[in-house]
Short mmCIF file of all heavy atoms in Angstrom, two decimals:
data_model
loop_
_atom_site.label_atom_id
_atom_site.label_comp_id
_atom_site.label_asym_id
_atom_site.label_seq_id
_atom_site.Cartn_x
_atom_site.Cartn_y
_atom_site.Cartn_z
N GLU A 11 -101.25 -16.44 -86.90
CA GLU A 11 -101.98 -15.99 -85.71
C GLU A 11 -102.52 -14.58 -85.90
O GLU A 11 -103.66 -14.28 -85.54
CB GLU A 11 -101.08 -16.05 -84.47
CG GLU A 11 -100.86 -17.42 -83.92
CD GLU A 11 -102.10 -18.03 -83.29
OE1 GLU A 11 -102.91 -17.29 -82.68
OE2 GLU A 11 -102.27 -19.25 -83.41
N ALA A 12 -101.70 -13.70 -86.47
CA ALA A 12 -102.14 -12.32 -86.71
C ALA A 12 -103.34 -12.29 -87.65
O ALA A 12 -104.32 -11.57 -87.41
CB ALA A 12 -100.99 -11.50 -87.30
N GLN A 14 -105.51 -14.67 -88.10
CA GLN A 14 -106.66 -15.20 -87.38
C GLN A 14 -107.29 -14.12 -86.51
O GLN A 14 -108.50 -13.96 -86.47
CB GLN A 14 -106.26 -16.40 -86.51
CG GLN A 14 -107.42 -16.98 -85.74
CD GLN A 14 -107.02 -18.16 -84.86
OE1 GLN A 14 -105.99 -18.78 -85.06
NE2 GLN A 14 -107.84 -18.45 -83.88
N GLY A 15 -106.43 -13.36 -85.81
CA GLY A 15 -106.94 -12.27 -84.98
C GLY A 15 -107.72 -11.25 -85.80
O GLY A 15 -108.76 -10.76 -85.38
N GLU A 18 -111.10 -12.42 -86.72
CA GLU A 18 -112.00 -12.37 -85.57
C GLU A 18 -112.47 -10.95 -85.27
O GLU A 18 -113.20 -10.73 -84.31
CB GLU A 18 -111.31 -12.95 -84.33
CG GLU A 18 -110.99 -14.41 -84.43
CD GLU A 18 -110.09 -14.91 -83.31
OE1 GLU A 18 -109.69 -14.10 -82.42
OE2 GLU A 18 -109.77 -16.11 -83.31
N ILE A 23 -101.93 -8.84 -84.92
CA ILE A 23 -100.59 -9.05 -84.35
C ILE A 23 -100.58 -10.47 -83.80
O ILE A 23 -101.49 -10.86 -83.06
CB ILE A 23 -100.27 -8.03 -83.24
CG1 ILE A 23 -100.41 -6.60 -83.75
CG2 ILE A 23 -98.85 -8.27 -82.71
CD1 ILE A 23 -100.37 -5.54 -82.67
N GLY A 24 -99.57 -11.24 -84.16
CA GLY A 24 -99.48 -12.63 -83.71
C GLY A 24 -98.14 -12.94 -83.11
O GLY A 24 -97.16 -12.23 -83.35
N SER A 25 -98.10 -14.00 -82.32
CA SER A 25 -96.88 -14.36 -81.61
C SER A 25 -96.82 -15.87 -81.39
O SER A 25 -97.86 -16.51 -81.22
CB SER A 25 -96.86 -13.63 -80.26
OG SER A 25 -95.67 -13.88 -79.56
N ARG A 36 -98.81 -20.20 -78.67
CA ARG A 36 -99.16 -19.30 -79.77
C ARG A 36 -100.31 -18.42 -79.33
O ARG A 36 -101.09 -18.82 -78.47
CB ARG A 36 -99.48 -20.07 -81.05
CG ARG A 36 -100.58 -21.08 -80.93
CD ARG A 36 -100.88 -21.82 -82.25
NE ARG A 36 -99.82 -22.69 -82.65
CZ ARG A 36 -99.28 -22.70 -83.87
NH1 ARG A 36 -99.74 -21.91 -84.81
NH2 ARG A 36 -98.29 -23.51 -84.16
N GLY A 37 -100.38 -17.24 -79.92
CA GLY A 37 -101.46 -16.34 -79.55
C GLY A 37 -101.55 -15.17 -80.49
O GLY A 37 -100.68 -14.96 -81.34
N HIS A 38 -102.60 -14.40 -80.34
CA HIS A 38 -102.78 -13.18 -81.12
C HIS A 38 -103.48 -12.14 -80.26
O HIS A 38 -104.05 -12.45 -79.23
CB HIS A 38 -103.54 -13.44 -82.42
CG HIS A 38 -104.83 -14.17 -82.27
ND1 HIS A 38 -104.90 -15.55 -82.26
CD2 HIS A 38 -106.11 -13.73 -82.11
CE1 HIS A 38 -106.16 -15.91 -82.12
NE2 HIS A 38 -106.92 -14.83 -82.02
N ASN A 39 -103.36 -10.91 -80.70
CA ASN A 39 -103.96 -9.80 -79.97
C ASN A 39 -105.47 -10.03 -79.89
O ASN A 39 -106.12 -10.24 -80.91
CB ASN A 39 -103.63 -8.49 -80.70
CG ASN A 39 -104.08 -7.27 -79.94
OD1 ASN A 39 -105.25 -7.14 -79.61
ND2 ASN A 39 -103.16 -6.37 -79.68
N LYS A 40 -106.00 -10.02 -78.66
CA LYS A 40 -107.43 -10.25 -78.44
C LYS A 40 -108.06 -9.12 -77.62
O LYS A 40 -109.06 -9.33 -76.95
CB LYS A 40 -107.64 -11.58 -77.71
CG LYS A 40 -107.29 -12.79 -78.54
CD LYS A 40 -107.58 -14.06 -77.77
CE LYS A 40 -107.21 -15.28 -78.58
NZ LYS A 40 -107.32 -16.49 -77.77
N GLN A 43 -111.60 -8.71 -79.06
CA GLN A 43 -112.43 -9.90 -78.87
C GLN A 43 -112.78 -10.15 -77.40
O GLN A 43 -113.90 -10.53 -77.08
CB GLN A 43 -111.72 -11.15 -79.42
CG GLN A 43 -111.41 -11.11 -80.90
CD GLN A 43 -110.02 -10.56 -81.20
OE1 GLN A 43 -109.64 -9.51 -80.68
NE2 GLN A 43 -109.27 -11.24 -82.05
N THR A 49 -104.62 -8.09 -73.31
CA THR A 49 -104.46 -9.32 -74.09
C THR A 49 -103.79 -9.00 -75.42
O THR A 49 -104.38 -9.10 -76.49
CB THR A 49 -105.81 -10.06 -74.29
OG1 THR A 49 -106.43 -10.22 -73.03
CG2 THR A 49 -105.57 -11.44 -74.87
N HIS A 50 -102.53 -8.62 -75.31
CA HIS A 50 -101.69 -8.43 -76.50
C HIS A 50 -101.28 -9.81 -77.00
O HIS A 50 -101.39 -10.82 -76.28
CB HIS A 50 -100.46 -7.61 -76.15
CG HIS A 50 -100.76 -6.17 -75.85
ND1 HIS A 50 -99.82 -5.18 -75.93
CD2 HIS A 50 -101.91 -5.55 -75.48
CE1 HIS A 50 -100.35 -4.02 -75.62
NE2 HIS A 50 -101.63 -4.22 -75.33
N ALA A 51 -100.78 -9.88 -78.22
CA ALA A 51 -100.42 -11.17 -78.83
C ALA A 51 -99.41 -11.94 -77.98
O ALA A 51 -99.55 -13.14 -77.76
CB ALA A 51 -99.86 -10.94 -80.23
N ASP A 54 -101.05 -13.26 -74.79
CA ASP A 54 -101.90 -14.40 -75.13
C ASP A 54 -101.05 -15.64 -75.40
O ASP A 54 -101.36 -16.74 -74.95
CB ASP A 54 -102.75 -14.04 -76.36
CG ASP A 54 -103.80 -15.08 -76.69
OD1 ASP A 54 -104.51 -15.56 -75.76
OD2 ASP A 54 -103.93 -15.43 -77.88
N CYS A 55 -99.96 -15.45 -76.11
CA CYS A 55 -99.04 -16.55 -76.41
C CYS A 55 -98.47 -17.16 -75.13
O CYS A 55 -98.45 -18.39 -74.97
CB CYS A 55 -97.92 -16.02 -77.31
SG CYS A 55 -96.61 -17.20 -77.64
#
Side-chain angles (χ1 to χ4, degrees):
E11 284 291 325
Q14 180 181 341
E18 294 170 0
I23 304 169
S25 183
R36 57 179 69 230
H38 52 273
N39 186 304
K40 292 182 181 172
Q43 299 92 312
T49 309
H50 290 201
D54 188 46
C55 174

